[in-house]
Amino acid sequence: MYIAYSALRTTTKNGTSQIKNKQLQHRLAAYQATCQKYSKEIAAIQKYLPGWMPMFEAKG
């Protein structure tokens, strides 16, 4: 999830980081909520596929 999160961020002139646009911000929030909701299922899958995470599509 960190890779998806960091790929959406950009650094502003004052050195802070922000999401590139609102639509991506909403997609990221939905992705995070879904991962949290299905955390038990994700953990069960990761027993057999270490490091596996659901795909995040940043198309927009």
Side-chain angles (χ1 to χ4, degrees):
M1 191 163 94
Y2 174 77
I3 293 171
Y5 183 73
S6 62
L8 300 175
R9 299 194 77 69
T10 185
T11 304
T12 61
K13 290 181 183 178
N14 64 1
T16 61
S17 61
Q18 295 179 336
I19 300 291
K20 291 181 180 178
N21 67 41
K22 289 287 184 186
Q23 184 181 22
L24 288 177
Q25 188 173 6
H26 292 297
R27 286 177 185 238
L28 178 60
Y31 176 78
Q32 290 172 330
T34 302
C35 286
Q36 184 176 5
K37 180 178 179 180
Y38 293 104
S39 61
K40 291 179 184 177
E41 290 82 354
I42 292 170
I45 293 169
Q46 288 177 339
K47 286 181 182 179
Y48 301 100
L49 301 170
W52 179 87
M53 286 299 292
M55 181 185 279
F56 177 81
E57 293 187 25
K59 296 176 185 175

Short mmCIF file of all heavy atoms in Angstrom, two decimals:
data_model
loop_
_atom_site.label_atom_id
_atom_site.label_comp_id
_atom_site.label_asym_id
_atom_site.label_seq_id
_atom_site.Cartn_x
_atom_site.Cartn_y
_atom_site.Cartn_z
N MET A 1 0.82 -1.18 0.00
CA MET A 1 0.00 0.00 0.00
C MET A 1 0.87 1.25 0.00
O MET A 1 0.51 2.25 -0.58
CB MET A 1 -0.94 0.00 1.19
CG MET A 1 -1.97 1.08 1.06
SD MET A 1 -3.36 0.85 2.12
CE MET A 1 -2.85 1.82 3.49
N TYR A 2 2.03 1.17 0.61
CA TYR A 2 2.91 2.33 0.65
C TYR A 2 3.30 2.78 -0.76
O TYR A 2 3.34 3.96 -1.04
CB TYR A 2 4.17 2.01 1.45
CG TYR A 2 5.18 3.13 1.41
CD1 TYR A 2 5.00 4.26 2.18
CD2 TYR A 2 6.28 3.08 0.56
CE1 TYR A 2 5.90 5.31 2.12
CE2 TYR A 2 7.18 4.12 0.50
CZ TYR A 2 6.98 5.24 1.29
OH TYR A 2 7.87 6.28 1.21
N ILE A 3 3.54 1.82 -1.64
CA ILE A 3 3.93 2.17 -3.01
C ILE A 3 2.81 2.93 -3.70
O ILE A 3 3.04 3.95 -4.33
CB ILE A 3 4.31 0.91 -3.81
CG1 ILE A 3 5.59 0.30 -3.23
CG2 ILE A 3 4.50 1.23 -5.29
CD1 ILE A 3 5.94 -1.04 -3.79
N ALA A 4 1.59 2.45 -3.57
CA ALA A 4 0.45 3.14 -4.17
C ALA A 4 0.30 4.52 -3.57
O ALA A 4 0.07 5.50 -4.27
CB ALA A 4 -0.83 2.34 -3.97
N TYR A 5 0.45 4.62 -2.28
CA TYR A 5 0.28 5.90 -1.59
C TYR A 5 1.35 6.89 -2.03
O TYR A 5 1.05 8.02 -2.36
CB TYR A 5 0.34 5.66 -0.09
CG TYR A 5 0.11 6.88 0.75
CD1 TYR A 5 -1.17 7.42 0.86
CD2 TYR A 5 1.14 7.50 1.43
CE1 TYR A 5 -1.41 8.54 1.64
CE2 TYR A 5 0.92 8.62 2.20
CZ TYR A 5 -0.35 9.13 2.31
OH TYR A 5 -0.57 10.25 3.06
N SER A 6 2.60 6.47 -2.07
CA SER A 6 3.68 7.38 -2.41
C SER A 6 3.64 7.77 -3.88
O SER A 6 4.08 8.85 -4.25
CB SER A 6 5.04 6.78 -2.05
OG SER A 6 5.26 5.60 -2.79
N ALA A 7 3.11 6.91 -4.74
CA ALA A 7 3.02 7.23 -6.16
C ALA A 7 2.03 8.34 -6.44
O ALA A 7 2.11 9.02 -7.46
CB ALA A 7 2.63 5.98 -6.95
N LEU A 8 1.10 8.55 -5.53
CA LEU A 8 0.07 9.57 -5.72
C LEU A 8 0.47 10.92 -5.16
O LEU A 8 -0.21 11.91 -5.37
CB LEU A 8 -1.23 9.14 -5.02
CG LEU A 8 -1.84 7.85 -5.52
CD1 LEU A 8 -3.04 7.50 -4.66
CD2 LEU A 8 -2.22 7.96 -6.97
N ARG A 9 1.55 10.97 -4.43
CA ARG A 9 1.92 12.20 -3.74
C ARG A 9 2.87 13.04 -4.58
O ARG A 9 3.63 12.54 -5.37
CB ARG A 9 2.53 11.87 -2.39
CG ARG A 9 1.52 11.12 -1.53
CD ARG A 9 1.87 11.03 -0.10
NE ARG A 9 1.67 12.21 0.69
CZ ARG A 9 0.49 12.74 1.02
NH1 ARG A 9 -0.60 12.23 0.55
NH2 ARG A 9 0.41 13.78 1.80
N THR A 10 2.81 14.31 -4.34
CA THR A 10 3.71 15.25 -4.98
C THR A 10 4.16 16.24 -3.93
O THR A 10 3.45 16.50 -2.96
CB THR A 10 3.05 15.95 -6.18
OG1 THR A 10 4.00 16.77 -6.83
CG2 THR A 10 1.88 16.81 -5.75
N THR A 11 5.33 16.81 -4.09
CA THR A 11 5.84 17.78 -3.13
C THR A 11 5.54 19.19 -3.60
O THR A 11 5.77 19.52 -4.76
CB THR A 11 7.36 17.60 -2.95
OG1 THR A 11 7.61 16.25 -2.57
CG2 THR A 11 7.90 18.52 -1.88
N THR A 12 5.03 20.02 -2.70
CA THR A 12 4.73 21.40 -3.04
C THR A 12 5.96 22.27 -2.83
O THR A 12 6.98 21.81 -2.31
CB THR A 12 3.56 21.93 -2.19
OG1 THR A 12 3.93 21.87 -0.81
CG2 THR A 12 2.30 21.10 -2.41
N LYS A 13 5.86 23.53 -3.19
CA LYS A 13 6.99 24.45 -3.08
C LYS A 13 7.47 24.61 -1.64
O LYS A 13 8.64 24.78 -1.40
CB LYS A 13 6.62 25.81 -3.66
CG LYS A 13 6.45 25.80 -5.16
CD LYS A 13 6.10 27.18 -5.68
CE LYS A 13 5.86 27.12 -7.18
NZ LYS A 13 5.47 28.42 -7.72
N ASN A 14 6.55 24.56 -0.68
CA ASN A 14 6.95 24.75 0.72
C ASN A 14 7.44 23.46 1.38
O ASN A 14 7.68 23.43 2.57
CB ASN A 14 5.81 25.37 1.53
CG ASN A 14 4.59 24.49 1.62
OD1 ASN A 14 4.58 23.39 1.09
ND2 ASN A 14 3.56 24.98 2.27
N GLY A 15 7.55 22.38 0.62
CA GLY A 15 8.13 21.14 1.12
C GLY A 15 7.14 20.14 1.68
O GLY A 15 7.53 19.06 2.07
N THR A 16 5.86 20.49 1.72
CA THR A 16 4.87 19.54 2.19
C THR A 16 4.43 18.66 1.03
O THR A 16 4.60 19.00 -0.13
CB THR A 16 3.64 20.25 2.79
OG1 THR A 16 3.04 21.06 1.79
CG2 THR A 16 4.01 21.10 3.98
N SER A 17 3.84 17.52 1.36
CA SER A 17 3.37 16.64 0.30
C SER A 17 1.85 16.62 0.29
O SER A 17 1.22 16.74 1.33
CB SER A 17 3.93 15.23 0.46
OG SER A 17 3.51 14.69 1.67
N GLN A 18 1.30 16.51 -0.89
CA GLN A 18 -0.14 16.48 -1.07
C GLN A 18 -0.50 15.46 -2.14
O GLN A 18 0.33 15.10 -2.96
CB GLN A 18 -0.67 17.86 -1.50
CG GLN A 18 -0.48 18.95 -0.47
CD GLN A 18 -0.99 20.28 -0.98
OE1 GLN A 18 -1.06 20.52 -2.17
NE2 GLN A 18 -1.35 21.13 -0.05
N ILE A 19 -1.76 15.04 -2.13
CA ILE A 19 -2.26 14.17 -3.20
C ILE A 19 -2.35 15.01 -4.47
O ILE A 19 -2.72 16.17 -4.43
CB ILE A 19 -3.64 13.59 -2.83
CG1 ILE A 19 -3.56 12.77 -1.54
CG2 ILE A 19 -4.22 12.77 -3.95
CD1 ILE A 19 -2.80 11.48 -1.66
N LYS A 20 -2.05 14.40 -5.62
CA LYS A 20 -1.99 15.13 -6.88
C LYS A 20 -3.33 15.73 -7.29
O LYS A 20 -3.38 16.83 -7.82
CB LYS A 20 -1.46 14.24 -7.99
CG LYS A 20 0.01 13.91 -7.80
CD LYS A 20 0.52 13.04 -8.92
CE LYS A 20 1.98 12.72 -8.71
NZ LYS A 20 2.51 11.84 -9.74
N ASN A 21 -4.43 15.03 -7.08
CA ASN A 21 -5.73 15.62 -7.38
C ASN A 21 -6.81 14.97 -6.52
O ASN A 21 -6.61 13.94 -5.90
CB ASN A 21 -6.06 15.58 -8.87
CG ASN A 21 -6.29 14.18 -9.38
OD1 ASN A 21 -6.92 13.36 -8.74
ND2 ASN A 21 -5.76 13.90 -10.58
N LYS A 22 -7.97 15.59 -6.48
CA LYS A 22 -9.06 15.14 -5.60
C LYS A 22 -9.57 13.75 -5.96
O LYS A 22 -9.87 12.96 -5.08
CB LYS A 22 -10.23 16.14 -5.64
CG LYS A 22 -9.92 17.44 -4.96
CD LYS A 22 -9.91 17.25 -3.47
CE LYS A 22 -9.71 18.57 -2.77
NZ LYS A 22 -9.55 18.42 -1.34
N GLN A 23 -9.68 13.44 -7.25
CA GLN A 23 -10.18 12.13 -7.64
C GLN A 23 -9.25 11.02 -7.13
O GLN A 23 -9.71 10.02 -6.60
CB GLN A 23 -10.33 12.02 -9.15
CG GLN A 23 -10.94 10.70 -9.57
CD GLN A 23 -11.09 10.57 -11.07
OE1 GLN A 23 -10.40 11.24 -11.83
NE2 GLN A 23 -11.99 9.72 -11.49
N LEU A 24 -7.95 11.22 -7.25
CA LEU A 24 -7.01 10.23 -6.74
C LEU A 24 -7.08 10.14 -5.22
O LEU A 24 -6.93 9.07 -4.65
CB LEU A 24 -5.59 10.56 -7.18
CG LEU A 24 -5.27 10.33 -8.65
CD1 LEU A 24 -3.86 10.77 -8.98
CD2 LEU A 24 -5.46 8.88 -9.03
N GLN A 25 -7.34 11.27 -4.58
CA GLN A 25 -7.48 11.28 -3.12
C GLN A 25 -8.67 10.42 -2.70
O GLN A 25 -8.57 9.63 -1.76
CB GLN A 25 -7.65 12.71 -2.63
CG GLN A 25 -7.62 12.86 -1.13
CD GLN A 25 -7.63 14.32 -0.72
OE1 GLN A 25 -7.76 15.22 -1.53
NE2 GLN A 25 -7.48 14.54 0.57
N HIS A 26 -9.78 10.53 -3.42
CA HIS A 26 -10.96 9.73 -3.12
C HIS A 26 -10.70 8.24 -3.39
O HIS A 26 -11.13 7.37 -2.63
CB HIS A 26 -12.17 10.21 -3.91
CG HIS A 26 -12.65 11.55 -3.48
ND1 HIS A 26 -13.14 11.81 -2.22
CD2 HIS A 26 -12.71 12.73 -4.14
CE1 HIS A 26 -13.49 13.08 -2.12
NE2 HIS A 26 -13.22 13.66 -3.28
N ARG A 27 -10.00 7.94 -4.48
CA ARG A 27 -9.68 6.55 -4.79
C ARG A 27 -8.79 5.94 -3.73
O ARG A 27 -8.97 4.79 -3.34
CB ARG A 27 -9.00 6.45 -6.16
CG ARG A 27 -9.95 6.66 -7.30
CD ARG A 27 -9.16 6.61 -8.60
NE ARG A 27 -10.02 6.92 -9.71
CZ ARG A 27 -10.22 6.10 -10.73
NH1 ARG A 27 -9.59 4.95 -10.79
NH2 ARG A 27 -11.02 6.44 -11.71
N LEU A 28 -7.82 6.71 -3.25
CA LEU A 28 -6.92 6.22 -2.22
C LEU A 28 -7.70 5.96 -0.93
O LEU A 28 -7.49 4.94 -0.27
CB LEU A 28 -5.78 7.20 -1.97
CG LEU A 28 -4.81 6.80 -0.86
CD1 LEU A 28 -4.14 5.48 -1.18
CD2 LEU A 28 -3.78 7.89 -0.64
N ALA A 29 -8.59 6.86 -0.57
CA ALA A 29 -9.40 6.68 0.65
C ALA A 29 -10.25 5.42 0.54
O ALA A 29 -10.37 4.66 1.51
CB ALA A 29 -10.26 7.91 0.90
N ALA A 30 -10.83 5.19 -0.63
CA ALA A 30 -11.64 3.99 -0.84
C ALA A 30 -10.77 2.74 -0.76
O ALA A 30 -11.18 1.73 -0.18
CB ALA A 30 -12.36 4.07 -2.18
N TYR A 31 -9.59 2.79 -1.34
CA TYR A 31 -8.66 1.66 -1.29
C TYR A 31 -8.27 1.34 0.14
O TYR A 31 -8.29 0.19 0.57
CB TYR A 31 -7.41 1.99 -2.12
CG TYR A 31 -6.33 0.94 -2.09
CD1 TYR A 31 -6.44 -0.21 -2.85
CD2 TYR A 31 -5.21 1.11 -1.30
CE1 TYR A 31 -5.45 -1.18 -2.83
CE2 TYR A 31 -4.21 0.15 -1.26
CZ TYR A 31 -4.33 -1.00 -2.03
OH TYR A 31 -3.36 -1.95 -1.99
N GLN A 32 -7.95 2.37 0.92
CA GLN A 32 -7.57 2.16 2.31
C GLN A 32 -8.72 1.58 3.12
O GLN A 32 -8.53 0.68 3.94
CB GLN A 32 -7.10 3.48 2.93
CG GLN A 32 -5.77 3.94 2.39
CD GLN A 32 -5.39 5.33 2.85
OE1 GLN A 32 -6.25 6.17 3.10
NE2 GLN A 32 -4.10 5.59 2.97
N ALA A 33 -9.93 2.08 2.89
CA ALA A 33 -11.11 1.57 3.60
C ALA A 33 -11.36 0.11 3.24
O ALA A 33 -11.68 -0.71 4.11
CB ALA A 33 -12.33 2.42 3.27
N THR A 34 -11.21 -0.23 1.98
CA THR A 34 -11.42 -1.60 1.53
C THR A 34 -10.37 -2.52 2.13
O THR A 34 -10.70 -3.63 2.59
CB THR A 34 -11.39 -1.68 -0.01
OG1 THR A 34 -12.40 -0.81 -0.52
CG2 THR A 34 -11.64 -3.09 -0.50
N CYS A 35 -9.12 -2.10 2.13
CA CYS A 35 -8.06 -2.92 2.73
C CYS A 35 -8.32 -3.13 4.22
O CYS A 35 -8.11 -4.23 4.74
CB CYS A 35 -6.70 -2.28 2.51
SG CYS A 35 -6.10 -2.41 0.81
N GLN A 36 -8.79 -2.10 4.88
CA GLN A 36 -9.10 -2.23 6.31
C GLN A 36 -10.27 -3.19 6.52
O GLN A 36 -10.23 -4.04 7.40
CB GLN A 36 -9.41 -0.87 6.90
CG GLN A 36 -9.64 -0.89 8.39
CD GLN A 36 -9.85 0.48 8.97
OE1 GLN A 36 -9.93 1.47 8.25
NE2 GLN A 36 -9.95 0.56 10.27
N LYS A 37 -11.31 -3.05 5.70
CA LYS A 37 -12.49 -3.90 5.83
C LYS A 37 -12.15 -5.38 5.62
O LYS A 37 -12.66 -6.25 6.32
CB LYS A 37 -13.54 -3.47 4.81
CG LYS A 37 -14.82 -4.30 4.87
CD LYS A 37 -15.83 -3.78 3.88
CE LYS A 37 -17.10 -4.61 3.90
NZ LYS A 37 -18.10 -4.12 2.95
N TYR A 38 -11.28 -5.66 4.68
CA TYR A 38 -10.93 -7.04 4.34
C TYR A 38 -9.55 -7.44 4.87
O TYR A 38 -8.90 -8.32 4.30
CB TYR A 38 -11.00 -7.23 2.83
CG TYR A 38 -12.41 -7.12 2.31
CD1 TYR A 38 -12.83 -5.97 1.64
CD2 TYR A 38 -13.34 -8.13 2.51
CE1 TYR A 38 -14.13 -5.84 1.18
CE2 TYR A 38 -14.64 -8.02 2.05
CZ TYR A 38 -15.03 -6.87 1.40
OH TYR A 38 -16.32 -6.76 0.95
N SER A 39 -9.12 -6.83 5.95
CA SER A 39 -7.77 -7.10 6.47
C SER A 39 -7.57 -8.56 6.86
O SER A 39 -6.49 -9.11 6.66
CB SER A 39 -7.47 -6.19 7.66
OG SER A 39 -8.38 -6.43 8.71
N LYS A 40 -8.60 -9.22 7.37
CA LYS A 40 -8.48 -10.64 7.73
C LYS A 40 -8.29 -11.50 6.50
O LYS A 40 -7.47 -12.42 6.48
CB LYS A 40 -9.69 -11.10 8.52
CG LYS A 40 -9.77 -10.49 9.90
CD LYS A 40 -10.99 -10.96 10.64
CE LYS A 40 -11.09 -10.26 11.99
NZ LYS A 40 -12.31 -10.63 12.71
N GLU A 41 -9.04 -11.20 5.44
CA GLU A 41 -8.91 -11.95 4.20
C GLU A 41 -7.55 -11.71 3.56
O GLU A 41 -6.92 -12.64 3.04
CB GLU A 41 -10.03 -11.57 3.22
CG GLU A 41 -11.40 -12.06 3.64
CD GLU A 41 -12.10 -11.16 4.66
OE1 GLU A 41 -11.50 -10.19 5.16
OE2 GLU A 41 -13.28 -11.45 4.97
N ILE A 42 -7.08 -10.48 3.61
CA ILE A 42 -5.76 -10.14 3.05
C ILE A 42 -4.68 -10.89 3.82
O ILE A 42 -3.75 -11.45 3.22
CB ILE A 42 -5.53 -8.62 3.07
CG1 ILE A 42 -6.47 -7.94 2.07
CG2 ILE A 42 -4.08 -8.28 2.76
CD1 ILE A 42 -6.50 -6.42 2.16
N ALA A 43 -4.80 -10.93 5.14
CA ALA A 43 -3.81 -11.65 5.96
C ALA A 43 -3.81 -13.14 5.62
O ALA A 43 -2.74 -13.76 5.57
CB ALA A 43 -4.12 -11.44 7.44
N ALA A 44 -4.99 -13.71 5.37
CA ALA A 44 -5.07 -15.13 5.01
C ALA A 44 -4.38 -15.39 3.67
O ALA A 44 -3.66 -16.38 3.52
CB ALA A 44 -6.52 -15.58 4.95
N ILE A 45 -4.57 -14.52 2.72
CA ILE A 45 -3.91 -14.66 1.41
C ILE A 45 -2.40 -14.50 1.57
O ILE A 45 -1.62 -15.22 0.95
CB ILE A 45 -4.48 -13.64 0.41
CG1 ILE A 45 -5.94 -13.96 0.09
CG2 ILE A 45 -3.63 -13.60 -0.87
CD1 ILE A 45 -6.67 -12.88 -0.69
N GLN A 46 -1.98 -13.55 2.41
CA GLN A 46 -0.55 -13.28 2.58
C GLN A 46 0.19 -14.44 3.25
O GLN A 46 1.41 -14.50 3.17
CB GLN A 46 -0.34 -11.98 3.35
CG GLN A 46 -0.67 -10.77 2.52
CD GLN A 46 -0.55 -9.47 3.29
OE1 GLN A 46 -0.59 -9.45 4.52
NE2 GLN A 46 -0.42 -8.38 2.57
N LYS A 47 -0.52 -15.35 3.88
CA LYS A 47 0.14 -16.54 4.43
C LYS A 47 0.76 -17.36 3.29
O LYS A 47 1.79 -17.98 3.45
CB LYS A 47 -0.85 -17.41 5.19
CG LYS A 47 -1.25 -16.85 6.52
CD LYS A 47 -2.21 -17.79 7.22
CE LYS A 47 -2.67 -17.24 8.54
NZ LYS A 47 -3.63 -18.14 9.21
N TYR A 48 0.09 -17.36 2.14
CA TYR A 48 0.55 -18.14 0.99
C TYR A 48 1.30 -17.29 -0.04
O TYR A 48 2.11 -17.81 -0.79
CB TYR A 48 -0.66 -18.82 0.31
CG TYR A 48 -1.38 -19.73 1.27
CD1 TYR A 48 -2.54 -19.32 1.90
CD2 TYR A 48 -0.88 -21.00 1.56
CE1 TYR A 48 -3.19 -20.16 2.80
CE2 TYR A 48 -1.52 -21.83 2.46
CZ TYR A 48 -2.69 -21.40 3.07
OH TYR A 48 -3.32 -22.22 3.97
N LEU A 49 1.01 -16.00 -0.06
CA LEU A 49 1.68 -15.07 -0.97
C LEU A 49 2.18 -13.87 -0.17
O LEU A 49 1.55 -12.81 -0.15
CB LEU A 49 0.71 -14.59 -2.06
CG LEU A 49 0.08 -15.66 -2.94
CD1 LEU A 49 -1.04 -15.07 -3.79
CD2 LEU A 49 1.13 -16.29 -3.82
N PRO A 50 3.32 -14.01 0.50
CA PRO A 50 3.83 -12.93 1.35
C PRO A 50 3.96 -11.61 0.58
O PRO A 50 4.43 -11.58 -0.55
CB PRO A 50 5.20 -13.44 1.79
CG PRO A 50 5.13 -14.91 1.63
CD PRO A 50 4.21 -15.16 0.47
N GLY A 51 3.49 -10.55 1.21
CA GLY A 51 3.59 -9.23 0.62
C GLY A 51 2.49 -8.88 -0.36
O GLY A 51 2.44 -7.77 -0.87
N TRP A 52 1.57 -9.82 -0.63
CA TRP A 52 0.49 -9.56 -1.58
C TRP A 52 -0.43 -8.48 -1.04
O TRP A 52 -0.75 -8.43 0.13
CB TRP A 52 -0.32 -10.83 -1.83
CG TRP A 52 -1.46 -10.62 -2.77
CD1 TRP A 52 -1.40 -10.71 -4.13
CD2 TRP A 52 -2.81 -10.26 -2.45
NE1 TRP A 52 -2.64 -10.45 -4.67
CE2 TRP A 52 -3.52 -10.16 -3.65
CE3 TRP A 52 -3.47 -10.00 -1.27
CZ2 TRP A 52 -4.87 -9.82 -3.70
CZ3 TRP A 52 -4.81 -9.67 -1.30
CH2 TRP A 52 -5.49 -9.57 -2.52
N MET A 53 -0.84 -7.57 -1.92
CA MET A 53 -1.84 -6.56 -1.60
C MET A 53 -2.76 -6.42 -2.80
O MET A 53 -2.34 -6.63 -3.94
CB MET A 53 -1.18 -5.20 -1.32
CG MET A 53 -0.48 -5.11 0.01
SD MET A 53 -1.55 -5.34 1.44
CE MET A 53 -2.57 -3.90 1.38
N PRO A 54 -4.03 -6.05 -2.56
CA PRO A 54 -4.94 -5.82 -3.68
C PRO A 54 -4.40 -4.71 -4.59
O PRO A 54 -3.75 -3.78 -4.11
CB PRO A 54 -6.24 -5.37 -3.01
CG PRO A 54 -6.12 -5.81 -1.60
CD PRO A 54 -4.66 -5.84 -1.28
N MET A 55 -4.65 -4.84 -5.87
CA MET A 55 -4.15 -3.86 -6.83
C MET A 55 -4.85 -2.52 -6.64
O MET A 55 -6.06 -2.47 -6.41
CB MET A 55 -4.38 -4.35 -8.26
CG MET A 55 -3.85 -3.38 -9.30
SD MET A 55 -4.26 -3.89 -10.97
CE MET A 55 -2.98 -5.09 -11.22
N PHE A 56 -4.08 -1.46 -6.73
CA PHE A 56 -4.63 -0.11 -6.69
C PHE A 56 -4.49 0.49 -8.07
O PHE A 56 -3.40 0.57 -8.59
CB PHE A 56 -3.90 0.76 -5.67
CG PHE A 56 -4.39 2.17 -5.64
CD1 PHE A 56 -5.54 2.49 -4.93
CD2 PHE A 56 -3.73 3.18 -6.33
CE1 PHE A 56 -6.03 3.79 -4.92
CE2 PHE A 56 -4.21 4.47 -6.31
CZ PHE A 56 -5.35 4.77 -5.60
N GLU A 57 -5.60 0.88 -8.67
CA GLU A 57 -5.57 1.49 -9.99
C GLU A 57 -5.73 3.00 -9.85
O GLU A 57 -6.74 3.46 -9.37
CB GLU A 57 -6.66 0.92 -10.88
CG GLU A 57 -6.45 -0.54 -11.20
CD GLU A 57 -7.43 -1.08 -12.20
OE1 GLU A 57 -7.98 -0.29 -12.99
OE2 GLU A 57 -7.66 -2.29 -12.18
N ALA A 58 -4.71 3.73 -10.27
CA ALA A 58 -4.73 5.17 -10.15
C ALA A 58 -5.14 5.84 -11.46
O ALA A 58 -4.77 6.97 -11.74
CB ALA A 58 -3.36 5.68 -9.72
N LYS A 59 -5.89 5.11 -12.26
CA LYS A 59 -6.35 5.68 -13.53
C LYS A 59 -7.33 6.79 -13.24
O LYS A 59 -8.15 6.69 -12.35
CB LYS A 59 -7.01 4.62 -14.40
CG LYS A 59 -6.08 3.52 -14.82
CD LYS A 59 -6.83 2.46 -15.58
CE LYS A 59 -5.92 1.29 -15.89
NZ LYS A 59 -6.66 0.21 -16.53
N GLY A 60 -7.29 7.80 -14.01
CA GLY A 60 -8.25 8.85 -13.76
C GLY A 60 -8.24 9.82 -14.80
O GLY A 60 -8.40 10.63 -15.40
#
